Each structure stands twice: as structure tokens, then as C-alpha cells.
């Protein structure tokens, strides 16, 4: 590789930041996403999401069902530039029924932003997603939201994060007042008070008055009580709080905490500025040839998401690729690790929710959209040069199961196509009965809403009405060692055997007790709650 190209890739990596937002539903994730885009100049007016009356649809929610309900149920990618940095925001579903889609997106992120409602503190979905971030060792930035409403004491929230998540906390800024009296934040690094003026529903950037601590103006601008409260809090923080440690942040052991209100834009820009300073740049990825740094000369990347019909007019299928190494160029030919085929990457797109823009090049940390004519599967690696393959992305144990029927035989082809494409993109796991006479697919999901989305999309995008019949199971376990291991055991009771989309045996149980009973009866049978990660040799097709 030429020195010139090496220098170009190195420079591009230095200017890239990539993150996903994790939160419990209703913590304000879509609103924060909109406001970050507003400050990044990607949109000119932010549209807050309201489930009942979304007069202005949120940019990141593009699916018809999302706009109707005011929730995010798919992952999208939003790219924008701020202070010369290229920021890739991987917008994840906020609804708990879609935690698996969030997991896949986190596989492509270098950092995570944990969004917390100031009144509610840590909530179940946030804890669940935090565990995924911890597994991947991601740096976590915390944004405590909704300070413009009555909430819990900031010190109490820091204590909860430390006690429950085992993370050290460092408050980068500190709130001045709360609820109706929320006036702004104190930037501890610069020792400055940022006082905000509210704009209409936060649709424009908040006007910001910056005053140094100790400036005589403060007495006029801030109520005396709030100023004294701030000074007392800061004294306490300096006395008992740890020092900021970038190394611990990058190891996922310390979280920088920011306070603000996404709805009114208070503290959003300050968060964005510090995020650029503290966040991890695109780093190395584990592969079949060991750790590969982003400046590795040859291009490589992996597929972390597939989405069908983002543009209903064209019935397209898009593969989301995380660029890991080298430089991506339009029309380049790459090797497809799983199939061994050579693929030409034409019509690459920069994604911005549903909007697309053609691109000519991309660098490590970027996410590109590629037209997928059925070639790509989730977890696939594409590369040039020496063969390498990144770790696959596992499927997790679903908790709800249902048979899906097509009552209209004339729609057989559309039904099959819809099921196949929705399975490929991971909207739901699809299994089939081990009994060949039963041909109806079994949908397996983490939450009920996934079933509703599949039925909605089959009707909306493929013109197929379906009938759903819930099954009485709540636990799925993959059989390690496959059919051979299962056949050795002989007849088993209180379980149903099905096969996943790769033909591997999966046992379905009514409850955890039945599962434990079987393992007690057959200790040699090894069961796993996570599907074995497929390698390049294993085909995705049934």
C-alpha cells in the first residue's frame, strides 16, 4: 500500500466517531437523536415524536408503523458532520421487543450512549442493553435526560449507576435547577456556567449564555438559591468524586455523565463536543487472522443488518456494512467469505434513515448501504487481499412462539418471499417443525410487537394477509452437537423439536422447569441459549 493511501486512511480514522444509543422506551431516544442531528446541521428543524399526533415525523423513524405509533422499531443509520468529524449514529429500536436488533447494531458500534430518564433512573431495558455493551467492552457515555421535568437528585442517579452497573461515574457537567427551574448546566472542565433560553418545543438550537464561575453577572442571571446549591454540589463532587480517566472510559469501566434535556436542547451541544474528545475512534476487530487494525491496508467489513423495502417504490433490499479496514471504493470487487464468491459492490449508498445518497468512498467506522440481491446474510464478511473472517453475530433464545398461516393459496409465492426476506433481515427468527408434514413456519421472537410487525409488513409490503396462532412455549435451546447428539439420546418428553433456518435442531419447552428436568434426565445432552455462530463454511440458505 502506498504511503499516501496509508496516510489517507489514518487521517480518516482520526476524524471518525461511531455510536449507538441504548435506552428504555420513552426515555427520549428518538428526541435526542433528532437534536444531535439538529446540532450536526443534518436537519434544520427537529420533530419531537408524539405517539398521538406526530404532525412532523421524526427523521429516524421511517417505517409506516413507527410513524403511526411514535416508536422506533428498526435500526437506521444517520451520518452527519460536526466540527470536521464524521459521526455515524446507529439508531437502534427503543422498544424492548427488539433487543436482538439492538444487539446486532451494537456489534457495529465503537461507543454507546446510555440515555436515562432523570425521574425514573435505570430501567429494565437499559440494564439489559448495558449487559450487551459490557460483553463487548464498549465505552459508555451517560446522558441523563428530561431535567426540564421533576426528577430524582443528580447525586442519587450517579450512585444508582455505580451501585447497580458497577461503573465509576464522572459528571462532566452538572445541572442548575430541575423541572421548571432548570436553567442550564455547569461545565466542570471549562469552569463555565451555560444558561439556556427555551425555544419553541426545542425545534431550533437553544440560545446559550456562557458565564465563568465567579463572574459578577451570575448574581443577576441566576437565582441566589440555585447558585448556592450549585456551589455546594460542586464542593461535594470535588471532594468525593473520582478524577476523569480516559483509559477507564475506553475500557468501559468509567462513564462520563452529562445532564440535560433533549426536548428543550439544554446540554445537547455540550454533550456532542465532549463526546468527540472522549469517544473511541474506530478500532481493531477480532478475526480469523487475529486482531485487525483499521489501518490494515486491504478493505474489509461485515454485514450487521439487512432491511427489505426501505423504499416501498423500488422493493429494494439493503445490506448495512460496517467498514472495518482499508478504503472502500465504489464498484470495487470483493471476496465474500461465507460463499467464496467474488462480488462487485455497485451502487453504494450513504444512509440517512430512509433517504439515500450515492457515495464513492468510505473508511473504517463508516456504515454503507449496499443493494442486496440475496447474496448477504447477517454476520457475513467481505474483504480484499488475504482471506479473513470476522466473528459472527449470534441469535439469542426467543421467548414467544407462534405458527404463521397463509389462508390464501393464490398468495403462496408472495408469502414465501416475504417470510424469506424478513427472516434474512432478522425481523424475526423462523423455525420449522421437525415433522415434514407440518409446513407452516414457526415465528420465534423476543416480544409480541415483533409478530405484529411481521404481519403488518407482510400485508403492507407483500400484499399477504396472515393468521397467527400462539404456541405454548417460552424457552428455546439449541442442541450442541446437532442432530447426531440429539438422536443418541433417543425419545424425550415434555419438549417439541423444531429446526432453525439453518436446519439445526432446537428444543422448545413450555417453561424453564421443563428444560431443567430434561437436562437432569440427560446430563450428556448439551443445550445452549444462544445459536451456534455460523462460520464461512456453513450456508445461510435452508
Amino acid at each position: 500500500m502506498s504511503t499516501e493511501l496509508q496516510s489517507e486512511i489514518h487521517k480518516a480514522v482520526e476524524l471518525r466517531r461511531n455510536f449507538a444509543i441504548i435506552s428504555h422506551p420513552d426515555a427520549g431516544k428518538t428526541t435526542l437523536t433528532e437534536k444531535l442531528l439538529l446540532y450536526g446541521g443534518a436537519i434544520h428543524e427537529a420533530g419531537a415524536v408524539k405517539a398521538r399526533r406526530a404532525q412532523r415525523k421524526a427523521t429516524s423513524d421511517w417505517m409506516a408503523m413507527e410513524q403511526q405509533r411514535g416508536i422506533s422499531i428498526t435500526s437506521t443509520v444517520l451520518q452527519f458532520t460536526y466540527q470536521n468529524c464524521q459521526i455515524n449514529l446507529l439508531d437502534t429500536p427503543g422498544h424492548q421487543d427488539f433487543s436482538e436488533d439492538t444487539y446486532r447494531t451494537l456489534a457495529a458500534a465503537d461507543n454507546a450512549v446510555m440515555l436515562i430518564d432523570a425521574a425514573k433512573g435505570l430501567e429494565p431495558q437499559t440494564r439489559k442493553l448495558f449487559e450487551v455493551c459490557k460483553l463487548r467492552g464498549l465505552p459508555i457515555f451517560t446522558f441523563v435526560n428530561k431535567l426540564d421535568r421533576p426528577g430524582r437528585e443528580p447525586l442519587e442517579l450517579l450512585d444508582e449507576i455505580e451501585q447497580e452497573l458497577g461503573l465509576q461515574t464522572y459528571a462532566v457537567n452538572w445541572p442548575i435547577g430541575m423541572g421548571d427551574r432548570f436553567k442550564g448546566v455547569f461545565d466542570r472542565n471549562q469552569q463555565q456556567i451555560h444558561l439556556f433560553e427555551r425555544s419553541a418545543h426545542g425545534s431550533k438550537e437553544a440560545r446559550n449564555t456562557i458565564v465563568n464561575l465567579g463572574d459578577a453577572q451570575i448574581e443577576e442571571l441566576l437565582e441566589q438559591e440555585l447558585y448556592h446549591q450549585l456551589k455546594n454540589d460542586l464542593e461535594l463532587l470535588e471532594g468525593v468524586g473520582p478524577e476523569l480517566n480516559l483509559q477507564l472510559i475506553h475500557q468501559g469501566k468509567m462513564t462520563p455523565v452529562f445532564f440535560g434535556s433533549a426536548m428543550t436542547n439544554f446540554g445537547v451541544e455540550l454533550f456532542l463536543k465532549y463526546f468527540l474528545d472522549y469517544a473511541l475512534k474506530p478500532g481493531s476487530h477480532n478475526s480469523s487472522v487475529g486482531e485487525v487494525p483499521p489501518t490494515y491496508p486491504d478493505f474489509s467489513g461485515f454485514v450487521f443488518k439487512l432491511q427489505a423495502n426501505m423504499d416501498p417504490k423500488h422493493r429494494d433490499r439493503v445490506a448495512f456494512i460496517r467498514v472495518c479496514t482499508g478504503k472502500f471504493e465504489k464498484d470495487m470487487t470483493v471476496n465474500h467469505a461465507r460463499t467464496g464468491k467474488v462480488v462487485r459492490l455497485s451502487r453504494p449508498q450513504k444512509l440517512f434513515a430512509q433517504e439515500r445518497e450515492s457515495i464513492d468512498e468510505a473508511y473504517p467506522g463508516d456504515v454503507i448501504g449496499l443493494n442486496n440481491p440475496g447474496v448477504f446474510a447477517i454476520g457475513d464478511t467481505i474483504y480484499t487481499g488475504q482471506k479473513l473472517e470476522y466473528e459472527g453475530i449470534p441469535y439469542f433464545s426467543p421467548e414467544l412462539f407462534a405458527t404463521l398461516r397463509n389462508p390464501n393459496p393464490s398468495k403462496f409465492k408472495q408469502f414465501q418471499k416475504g417470510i424469506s426476506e424478513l427472516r434474512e433481515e432478522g425481523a424475526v427468527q423462523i423455525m420449522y417443525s421437525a415433522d415434514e408434514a407440518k409446513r407452516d413456519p414457526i415465528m420465534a421472537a423476543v416480544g409480541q410487537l415483533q409478530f405484529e410487525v411481521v404481519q403488518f409488513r407482510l400485508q403492507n409490503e407483500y400484499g399477504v394477509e396472515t393468521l397467527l396462532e400462539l404456541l405454548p412455549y417460552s424457552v428455546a435451546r439449541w442442541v450442541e452437537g446437532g442432530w447426531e447428539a440429539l438422536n443418541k439420546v433417543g425419545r424425550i418428553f415434555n419438549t417439541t423439536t423444531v429446526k432453525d433456518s439453518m436446519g439445526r435442531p432446537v428444543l422448545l419447552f413450555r417453561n424453564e422447569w421443563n428444560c431443567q428436568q430434561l437436562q437432569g434426565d440427560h446430563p450428556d445432552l448439551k443445550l445452549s441459549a444462544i445459536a451456534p455462530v455460523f462460520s464461512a463454511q456453513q450456508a445461510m440458505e435452508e
Side-chain angles (χ1 to χ4, degrees):
M1 178 170 70
S2 71
T3 317
E4 201 179 306
L5 180 59
Q6 197 151 16
S7 153
E8 185 186 330
I9 294 169
H10 179 76
K11 191 178 170 188
V13 169
E14 287 295 304
L15 292 174
R16 271 156 177 75
R17 304 288 185 279
N18 168 316
F19 71 98
I21 301 178
I22 60 168
S23 75
H24 193 81
D26 299 325
K29 184 176 67 64
T30 304
T31 308
L32 178 63
T33 302
E34 292 279 306
K35 301 312 169 74
L36 291 170
L37 298 176
L38 178 70
Y39 281 102
I43 55 175
H44 301 297
E45 195 166 326
V49 178
K50 290 193 171 50
R52 288 200 187 124
R53 48 178 188 88
Q55 291 119 337
R56 183 174 285 279
K57 303 290 188 271
T59 304
S60 56
D61 292 339
W62 58 266
M63 193 190 281
M65 195 169 175
E66 294 177 308
Q67 293 180 352
Q68 283 170 17
R69 296 191 183 200
I71 53 170
S72 300
I73 51 181
T74 54
S75 300
T76 56
V77 180
L78 304 155
Q79 297 176 327
F80 60 96
T81 304
Y82 182 74
Q83 291 187 347
N84 281 336
C85 279
Q86 169 89 12
I87 298 172
N88 290 282
L89 196 171
L90 306 170
D91 183 42
T92 60
H95 201 281
Q96 65 262 36
D97 288 8
F98 292 87
S99 48
E100 192 156 339
D101 199 21
T102 304
Y103 180 84
R104 290 193 287 265
T105 301
L106 288 170
D110 299 314
N111 304 276
V113 173
M114 180 166 72
L115 185 65
I116 292 174
D117 183 321
K120 295 172 183 170
L122 290 174
E123 296 178 86
Q125 178 69 356
T126 319
R127 288 188 184 90
K128 207 171 172 184
L129 293 170
F130 165 76
E131 288 303 324
V132 174
C133 295
K134 195 174 167 186
L135 273 175
R136 299 205 57 250
L138 288 180
I140 293 175
F141 293 76
T142 301
F143 189 91
V144 180
N145 193 24
K146 302 190 181 181
L147 265 291
D148 57 322
R149 300 179 189 180
R152 288 162 58 185
E153 285 299 317
L155 284 167
E156 190 189 321
L157 291 165
L158 293 188
D159 191 51
E160 183 176 53
I161 293 167
E162 294 195 350
Q163 297 300 319
E164 293 206 24
L165 304 182
L167 277 176
Q168 283 191 56
T169 60
Y170 178 85
V172 180
N173 65 25
W174 197 252
I176 301 165
M178 188 177 281
D180 290 343
R181 299 182 74 199
F182 181 46
K183 299 291 185 241
V185 294
F186 174 71
D187 176 348
R188 290 178 70 197
N189 185 32
Q190 297 293 325
Q191 292 287 293
Q192 289 175 330
I193 290 174
H194 288 245
L195 297 171
F196 300 110
E197 278 180 45
R198 292 170 192 255
S199 63
H201 303 297
S203 61
K204 303 287 183 188
E205 296 170 25
R207 288 178 64 190
N208 189 357
T209 304
I210 301 173
V211 189
N212 290 322
L213 192 66
D215 192 312
Q217 271 193 87
I218 294 175
E219 304 290 340
E220 299 162 34
L221 297 168
L222 203 57
E223 293 165 44
Q224 202 172 15
E225 186 196 333
L226 288 178
Y227 187 38
H228 283 303
Q229 175 73 48
L230 172 66
K231 288 208 285 193
N232 289 340
D233 286 350
L234 292 177
E235 222 170 278
L236 195 61
L237 274 182
E238 296 301 332
V240 300
E243 291 288 307
L244 180 76
N245 184 323
L246 262 186
Q247 195 178 351
L248 290 181
I249 290 170
H250 291 168
Q251 290 169 352
K253 293 175 182 173
M254 174 182 269
T255 179
V257 181
F258 301 83
F259 291 88
S261 159
M263 182 59 83
T264 57
N265 299 345
F266 289 9
V268 175
E269 189 173 26
L270 206 56
F271 160 73
L272 196 48
K273 282 178 179 166
Y274 280 112
F275 174 78
L276 294 186
D277 291 342
Y278 299 160
L280 261 189
K281 293 165 189 146
S284 302
H285 279 79
N286 198 22
S287 77
S288 54
V289 296
E291 287 277 319
V292 192
T295 49
Y296 179 77
D298 296 319
F299 163 79
S300 69
F302 66 86
V303 180
F304 68 92
K305 178 179 170 59
L306 298 173
Q307 185 74 56
N309 304 333
M310 280 182 80
D311 183 349
K313 291 191 197 90
H314 298 113
R315 291 276 178 246
D316 60 347
R317 291 155 86 193
V318 175
F320 289 66
I321 312 271
R322 154 71 198 239
V323 180
C324 296
T325 67
K327 180 183 178 182
F328 168 85
E329 292 181 288
K330 184 181 178 180
D331 291 330
M332 74 191 300
T333 48
V334 299
N335 299 303
H336 186 276
R338 176 169 56 81
T339 61
K341 290 178 181 172
V342 173
V343 183
R344 184 163 173 259
L345 304 181
S346 55
R347 290 175 53 209
Q349 297 157 344
K350 173 183 171 183
L351 300 150
F352 188 79
Q354 200 179 5
E355 296 166 25
R356 323 286 176 73
E357 191 182 300
S358 186
I359 57 162
D360 295 323
E361 54 192 36
Y363 298 91
D366 286 343
V367 171
I368 52 173
L370 292 172
N371 193 38
N372 177 28
V375 172
F376 300 117
I378 288 166
D380 279 355
T381 297
I382 53 175
Y383 66 94
T384 59
Q386 180 196 358
K387 182 174 181 181
L388 63 86
E389 190 168 6
Y390 292 111
E391 291 177 318
I393 301 172
Y395 285 97
F396 288 86
S397 176
E399 292 159 27
L400 293 175
F401 302 85
T403 304
L404 193 68
R405 292 203 168 87
N406 166 30
N408 186 348
S410 68
K411 297 275 187 176
F412 176 76
K413 275 188 178 170
Q414 293 94 315
F415 177 71
Q416 291 296 102
K417 185 182 182 204
I419 289 293
S420 170
E421 290 184 0
L422 292 176
R423 170 184 66 78
E424 274 178 19
E425 71 177 63
V428 71
Q429 289 185 47
I430 301 286
M431 299 177 178
Y432 287 90
S433 172
D435 179 349
E436 293 297 327
K438 297 176 180 175
R439 301 298 304 137
D440 290 320
I442 296 165
M443 292 200 297
V446 175
Q448 178 66 34
L449 188 59
Q450 278 178 277
F451 291 159
E452 290 176 36
V453 167
V454 167
Q455 285 193 286
F456 177 87
R457 290 185 62 189
L458 281 170
Q459 183 161 9
N460 212 37
E461 297 168 20
Y462 301 91
V464 182
E465 276 193 52
T466 52
L467 299 174
L468 189 80
E469 191 181 308
L470 288 171
L471 296 170
Y473 310 114
S474 66
V475 176
R477 292 291 180 265
W478 277 264
V479 178
E480 292 182 20
W483 293 102
E484 192 182 337
L486 188 60
N487 292 337
K488 274 184 191 168
V489 175
R491 203 163 167 207
I492 50 179
F493 300 94
N494 294 328
T495 179
T496 296
T497 306
V498 298
K499 52 188 179 181
D500 70 6
S501 59
M502 289 179 64
R504 301 174 297 200
V506 184
L507 301 182
L508 303 185
F509 301 90
R510 284 176 181 265
N511 50 45
E512 195 66 52
W513 186 81
N514 283 151
C515 178
Q516 286 167 3
Q517 189 183 33
L518 177 77
Q519 290 196 283
D521 293 345
H522 303 282
D524 293 340
L525 186 66
K526 298 281 183 284
L527 302 179
S528 171
I530 299 174
V533 176
F534 42 85
S535 70
Q537 280 68 44
Q538 293 174 292
M540 181 69 180
E541 299 306 317
E542 295 165 41

